[in-house]
């Protein structure tokens, strides 16, 4: 192998440069042409290069759902997706859900149902819920619970999140699951 080729034994590590690629990507309706390193995730592109910090970095292993965004209308874990894989795609983050000052119906439902506490998982929950609605598979509250199960909430606001999503997805303001034998009552914990 000639010494001038990448990967040759005589090439110093300091001279090696990762390959960069030009991608065309539309994010929240705005077209971007960007130079990205081959190893940059969609999550890091959004947060670090474009400063769209609504999408959260949780586990960075695809297990918590905090980084969920919509790519061409489908739910995607942005920490597991390389930016170069999304060349030509349309990406929607939590910042792109509202229409100006008008909140998305899911955002309004999350507020009405108090479906957030610390708020860290909320952007991923919202994007996942939009994807769930786009998929059209949820027919019951239990379906909503199952289809949202990839999004974790450390605060435990699952009841309120499921209610908010069911209200918008199913038109059921007080949805009850088939598996629940009694309504779940939330409130304060006695001291």
């Amino acid at each position: 192998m000639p010494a001038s080729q990448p990967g040759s034994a005589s090439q110093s590590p300091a001279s090696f440069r990762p390959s960069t690629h030009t991608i065309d990507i539309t994010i929240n309706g705005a077209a971007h042409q960007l130079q990205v390193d081959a190893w940059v995730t969609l999550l890091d592109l959004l947060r670090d290069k474009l400063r769209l910090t609504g999408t959260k970095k949780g586990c960075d292993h695809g297990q918590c759902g905090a980084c969920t965004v919509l790519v061409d209308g489908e739910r995607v874990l942005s920490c597991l997706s390389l930016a170069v894989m999304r060349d030509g795609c349309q990406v929607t983050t939590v910042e792109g859900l509202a229409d100006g000052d008008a909140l998305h119906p899911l955002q309004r439902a999350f507020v009405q149902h108090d479906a957030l506490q610390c708020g860290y998982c909320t952007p991923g929950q919202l994007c996942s819920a939009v994807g769930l609605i786009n998929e059209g598979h949820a027919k019951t509250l239990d379906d909503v619970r199952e289809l949202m199960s990839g999004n974790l909430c450390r605060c435990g606001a699952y009841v309120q999140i499921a209610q908010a999503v069911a209200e918008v997805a199913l038109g059921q303001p007080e949805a009850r699951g088939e598996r629940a034998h009694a309504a779940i009552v939330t409130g304060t914990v006695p001291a």
Side-chain angles (χ1 to χ4, degrees):
M1 175 185 267
S4 63
Q5 289 187 357
S8 85
S10 66
Q11 185 179 18
S12 72
S15 67
F16 177 73
R17 299 267 187 244
S19 63
T20 59
H21 302 273
T22 302
I23 62 168
D24 293 306
I25 189 168
T26 302
I27 300 171
N28 299 329
H32 298 273
Q33 187 173 63
L34 303 165
Q35 290 282 19
V36 296
D37 292 325
W39 52 266
V40 171
T41 64
L42 179 57
L43 174 61
D44 290 337
L45 173 73
L46 294 170
R47 290 185 57 80
D48 299 339
K49 190 160 186 141
L50 298 175
R51 300 289 183 226
L52 294 171
T53 57
T55 304
K56 303 301 181 207
K57 184 179 276 199
C59 66
D60 214 18
H61 288 75
Q63 297 177 354
C64 73
C67 68
T68 305
V69 296
L70 299 167
V71 176
D72 296 333
E74 294 183 6
R75 302 185 268 185
V76 169
L77 297 171
S78 61
C79 75
L80 296 181
S81 179
L82 295 174
V84 295
M85 295 168 52
R86 302 307 172 183
D87 186 22
C89 292
Q90 298 219 7
V91 176
T92 303
T93 68
V94 69
E95 291 94 343
L97 294 182
D99 185 11
D101 290 336
L103 294 178
H104 186 281
L106 278 164
Q107 291 171 310
R108 287 195 307 270
F110 268 57
V111 171
Q112 289 173 326
H113 286 273
D114 197 23
L116 49 115
Q117 289 183 30
C118 80
Y120 198 83
C121 73
T122 305
Q125 297 275 3
L126 286 164
C127 286
S128 186
V130 171
L132 175 145
I133 291 169
N134 291 345
E135 293 161 9
H137 300 301
K139 305 297 182 218
T140 67
L141 178 61
D142 288 333
D143 291 344
V144 168
R145 288 182 184 130
E146 179 65 28
L147 294 168
M148 290 292 293
S149 66
N151 291 80
L152 304 181
C153 172
R154 295 189 128 188
C155 300
Y158 294 113
V159 172
Q160 299 94 314
I161 292 167
Q163 288 289 333
V165 175
E167 179 177 306
V168 177
L170 309 174
Q172 300 173 357
E174 291 300 323
R176 290 199 172 150
E178 296 81 33
R179 293 179 286 192
H181 299 293
I184 298 171
V185 179
T186 58
T188 59
V189 176

